[in-house]
Amino acid sequence: MSTGHNRPEDTEEDRNNNKKKVKSSIVAISDLGYNLEQVVRQKNKMKIATNNASTNYFNISILPGSEFYIYRVDFAIEGEENSFIGSFAGNSMLRVVRKEIDIGYYLFNGHDSLITLKPIDESKIKEEKDENGVEKPKLLPAPFKIKRKGQVSEKKGMISFRLINKLRHDQNKTVHKEDSLFQTLINEALKASFLKAGFKEVGASICNTKSQRRLQSIENTDVFDGFIPTVNILKDGYYVGLSFKNKFMKKEKVYDYLMADINHGLKQEQIKNRHSGLSVIPTYDIRNHIIRFIDFSKTPRSTFKLNGVVKTYADYYKEKYNLEIKDLTQPLISVTIKRRNQKKQNIYLVPELTFVCGIQPKELRSIGKEVSKSAMEKNQFILNAVDTIRKSEEFKKWGLEISTKPKEVKSYQLLDPVRIEGGGKYVLNNMNGSWKHDIKNFQLVQPIVLDRWIVVYTDRGQYDDLYHSVMQFGSKMGIKIADPLHIQTQQRDNAGEQYIDALLQNENLPFAQAVVCILPNPDKYRYRAIKTFVQGEKGLICQCVQQKNLRNPSIMTNVILQIQAKLQSILWEAKTNMDNEISGFTSLCGVATEGKGKNVKGAITLSINSKQTLYTTSEFSGVNRREVFSKVCSGVLDATNDFNIRNKGYPNTLIVYREGVSDGEIERCIANEVEPLVHHLGTKTKLVYILVSKNNNTRFLQNGKNLPIGSIIEDVQRANTHEFYITSTYVSESMGVTRPIRYQLLFNNSNIKTDAIYTMTYKQCHMYYNWPGTVKVPAPLMYSSKCLQSLSASDFNPQLKKNLFFL
């Protein structure tokens, strides 16, 4: 990375000293992923109430008298030095020697370790001495066949075992050493025990077959009650987390969908990606797959090679599953699979043999209360599942036992609420995390005069309704609004061409503050075309409004707020009693990334004013997953340069909220993102780096009810981490269980105490200008996530990077 990001005010001595500090602190976190010294908790000023809460985590321990054995496994091929042994060859060699050494049941990690439920006979694997008297493990012959470039050859494999650890029961019902293999073993034991008890595996979910019922609101669709099990290594042992999950299964096949498309006259190019992203499950399997596209170049008559033999897909399914394919001309479904210890590969499914799994987002609205369960009902379902495992003889055969009581934790609730202030010191009611009913009479802190705006419509009545609503609600918010330049165009059934033509013919377009287009219906192609032209090409603020919403007070209030936010207005401010705990000019940054392989995209937003309400935005796409960390680092540094241009200096502290990093990527994130950031920020800008996980399976209840908003939990800590959970949104008990957000404090070389970080994080959940209420994650991260979504609707125009154009 270029050193051009070094701060100009740093001297050479400063930079050298900073390198030493970075190196010493990064050494501590490179091994563990965390700088624990920097995140010691000091609760001396934050006013809190302490309550007891329960989790959905249940302790897993080893039965008394049971032991597990972990072996180091080494592979070699006779006559080949430094030969690479892949997971496939390793598994083949293990199967050869399994009976000879009486290995019993084992789990292999695909590389160099395996875990067994009973010890391997020492006499068969004991170490031997070579001619120099050096002890080495006994090499066992393990011949196997390997296929390369279509040629099958037999190799003389050799394999050795060395016992490296034992896991046994102790008084604390934990294990002596963390091991991912033991984590996998618990997963396998749970799955086998649930299946033995009559449950059904559907994708990642375990479903109770007795709960199957037909939905009344959606045709040909069944729903199951189930849960997703996750095994976690916490500081006090292994725990399984069970989160309630409804699983929907349609009785329709993908074939029916395709035939309906063809009967409606859709062309192959239109059908190809029409069902991309749909979750499907074959009739002969339990795993669900995501459709990539429909491949019309492939049919059941198409051929492929299997172990050197050419077969048609029709013959394969007949021989393998005894399934007869009726329509031999149907296209095939392209999906990607990833098996354990193997690379991803593309395979083809037959629509006739594939059911649709799950439902579309638009169908969720029609379900209503038909599938909703209260927090108490969901909790009882989980407790019943745990009781099933406790009584399971199958689980005991694996040498394991489960606690029937969930893990208890302490919940801290902020007693000093976040105050939402507007112009004229107007304070909003924030008891349930929403002020949407008060916002209509709310004076904005710093409104922007709207005197150069254009409205495009197809019917005069549309314009009159819009004008009346904007003037009525805008004046109550203290916004000065002049009459717009309005343009009427003909209503035509095309992708927004009439709106674009009308704007092109107007000479005032280059001088407009904003363009408002009134749309007759929610046509995504029209919407995308308008956004691409106005925002992407012209670099202007664009707001689209559907005709049916013009007389809806709540929606029109939000429309006015969105326009003002896009124009850099300050709508409201959030304040707490701990604001003074963070001194100096602090900038907040949100980083969101998504995607796999070579097609990762991301967005970065960074606050550039002292109130942390104005942001600069950047984006990237088409980046390789391995390069995304360095791309994020350079993007954040570029954003701090924008901060410097506006404020004639860099921030004293930079707080980064980072989404899109899995647990397995933390070390790479530290090495390629955090380390370079700390180095290039220099001594004048301190860094607080926080990972954010929205889609976690952790749940909390307090006396059978959801935690109140503003609750903070610290007691669910993975080994060598500092994590905390915050519930920032209100969910009534009748609607289910609140999903808290998990935060991991990855790095902190500032003087900001953790309590102040908690309060700042919760406070920023009140500062998302696209919604008059609290949101799940802090505003900078919400903005970057929203920007990421908007990239599919229009191209990014650098002219708008300091406007929240994506709202």
Side-chain angles (χ1 to χ4, degrees), residues 70-76 90 93-94 97 103 106-109 111-116 120 158-164 181:
I70 299 178
Y71 291 88
R72 165 66 187 260
V73 186
D74 291 299
F75 302 95
M93 295 165 73
L94 280 170
V97 301
I103 196 173
Y106 68 88
L107 276 178
F108 176 52
N109 71 349
H111 302 289
D112 56 8
S113 300
L114 66 81
I115 185 169
T116 66
I120 302 175
M158 309 295 288
I159 186 170
S160 65
F161 300 88
R162 182 186 297 126
L163 181 65
I164 58 175
L181 269 177

Side-chain angles (χ1 to χ4, degrees), residues 25 49 79 118 168 207 236 257 401 432 517 520 583 622 660 738 806:
S25 60
K118 64 177 184 177
R168 60 173 67 88
C207 298
D236 57 342
Y257 280 50
E401 62 180 351
N432 288 325
C517 295
S583 59
T738 306
F806 40 79

Side-chain angles (χ1 to χ4, degrees), residues 110 364 785:
L364 280 172
S785 299

Side-chain angles (χ1 to χ4, degrees), residues 725-740:
Y725 291 79
I726 294 181
T727 57
S728 55
T729 54
Y730 172 77
V731 176
S732 66
E733 280 72 31
S734 61
M735 296 301 294
V737 184
T738 306
R739 175 179 290 181

Side-chain angles (χ1 to χ4, degrees), residues 22-70:
V22 171
K23 187 175 181 180
S24 61
S25 60
I26 293 296
V27 165
I29 66 175
S30 290
D31 295 332
L32 305 176
Y34 302 87
N35 186 351
L36 297 180
E37 246 182 71
Q38 300 285 351
V39 295
V40 175
R41 193 164 184 282
Q42 300 178 39
K43 190 180 267 70
N44 55 354
K45 291 195 175 182
M46 187 169 70
K47 295 182 180 180
I48 60 167
T50 305
N51 301 293
N52 293 324
S54 61
T55 68
N56 61 333
Y57 281 34
F58 299 85
N59 182 250
I60 300 288
S61 57
I62 300 173
L63 277 170
S66 297
E67 286 187 326
F68 294 89
Y69 304 84
I70 299 178

Side-chain angles (χ1 to χ4, degrees), residues 546-687:
Q546 288 187 45
Q547 178 182 348
K548 66 178 183 179
N549 297 326
L550 293 172
R551 295 187 181 184
N552 187 314
S554 296
I555 293 179
M556 290 309 299
T557 299
N558 286 342
V559 167
I560 297 169
L561 293 175
Q562 286 176 349
I563 294 174
Q564 282 290 303
K566 292 175 182 180
L567 294 173
Q568 297 187 338
S569 167
I570 300 178
L571 306 189
W572 60 76
E573 295 179 276
K575 295 185 178 180
T576 70
N577 292 336
M578 289 194 69
D579 288 346
N580 293 332
E581 291 296 304
I582 300 180
S583 59
F585 204 152
T586 300
S587 177
L588 304 177
C589 178
V591 180
T593 58
E594 65 178 28
K596 298 178 180 179
K598 299 180 180 179
N599 194 29
V600 178
K601 60 181 180 178
I604 300 167
T605 54
L606 185 139
S607 65
I608 54 176
N609 67 333
S610 59
K611 296 181 183 292
Q612 295 147 353
T613 57
L614 304 181
Y615 286 83
T616 180
T617 305
S618 61
E619 55 80 32
F620 59 85
S621 59
V623 177
N624 190 298
R625 187 73 191 175
R626 293 183 176 275
E627 300 171 358
V628 70
F629 301 108
S630 57
K631 189 71 175 178
V632 166
C633 178
S634 60
V636 172
L637 291 171
D638 289 340
T640 59
N641 288 333
D642 290 339
F643 182 102
N644 178 46
I645 292 171
R646 185 182 192 276
N647 300 289
K648 309 301 181 185
Y650 292 93
N652 299 106
T653 306
L654 176 63
I655 301 178
V656 179
Y657 293 99
R658 174 72 156 93
E659 185 185 27
V661 179
S662 67
D663 289 343
E665 294 176 314
I666 289 179
E667 289 187 9
R668 272 194 288 165
C669 178
I670 291 169
N672 301 315
E673 196 169 307
V674 179
E675 281 190 42
L677 260 180
V678 177
H679 170 64
H680 290 298
L681 286 174
T683 59
K684 301 297 189 293
T685 300
K686 302 300 182 182
L687 178 67

Side-chain angles (χ1 to χ4, degrees), residues 377-432:
E377 290 174 319
K378 290 183 177 180
N379 187 50
Q380 189 58 50
F381 181 83
I382 296 300
L383 292 176
N384 292 340
V386 172
D387 193 54
T388 299
I389 292 297
R390 183 186 66 83
K391 298 176 180 176
S392 171
E393 291 299 323
E394 178 70 18
F395 199 62
K396 293 175 183 177
K397 288 179 182 178
W398 289 70
L400 299 170
E401 62 180 351
I402 187 170
S403 170
T404 55
K405 291 185 178 180
K407 180 179 174 63
E408 297 290 327
V409 296
K410 293 290 185 183
S411 166
Y412 306 100
Q413 186 183 2
L414 296 175
L415 292 181
D416 292 328
V418 177
R419 301 183 303 277
I420 306 301
E421 297 184 0
K425 297 300 179 182
Y426 188 96
V427 182
L428 290 176
N429 178 15
N430 179 34
M431 294 304 294
N432 288 325

Side-chain angles (χ1 to χ4, degrees), residues 477-572:
M477 296 179 190
I479 307 170
K480 295 181 179 179
I481 305 175
D483 290 348
L485 173 66
H486 52 94
I487 307 170
Q488 185 170 1
T489 183
Q490 295 180 352
Q491 182 170 340
R492 300 198 301 268
D493 188 17
N494 57 33
E497 293 177 7
Q498 75 272 28
Y499 291 85
I500 297 172
D501 292 341
L503 290 169
L504 283 172
Q505 294 172 17
N506 192 287
E507 59 184 13
N508 294 311
L509 179 62
F511 310 102
Q513 287 174 293
V515 175
V516 179
C517 295
I518 304 175
L519 309 181
N521 54 56
D523 187 320
K524 64 179 181 180
Y525 299 106
R526 180 191 291 115
Y527 173 83
R528 187 175 299 167
I530 293 172
K531 286 281 188 178
T532 299
F533 173 74
V534 179
Q535 288 183 178
E537 294 183 23
K538 297 300 180 181
L540 298 172
I541 296 300
C542 180
Q543 184 73 36
C544 294
V545 188
Q546 288 187 45
Q547 178 182 348
K548 66 178 183 179
N549 297 326
L550 293 172
R551 295 187 181 184
N552 187 314
S554 296
I555 293 179
M556 290 309 299
T557 299
N558 286 342
V559 167
I560 297 169
L561 293 175
Q562 286 176 349
I563 294 174
Q564 282 290 303
K566 292 175 182 180
L567 294 173
Q568 297 187 338
S569 167
I570 300 178
L571 306 189
W572 60 76

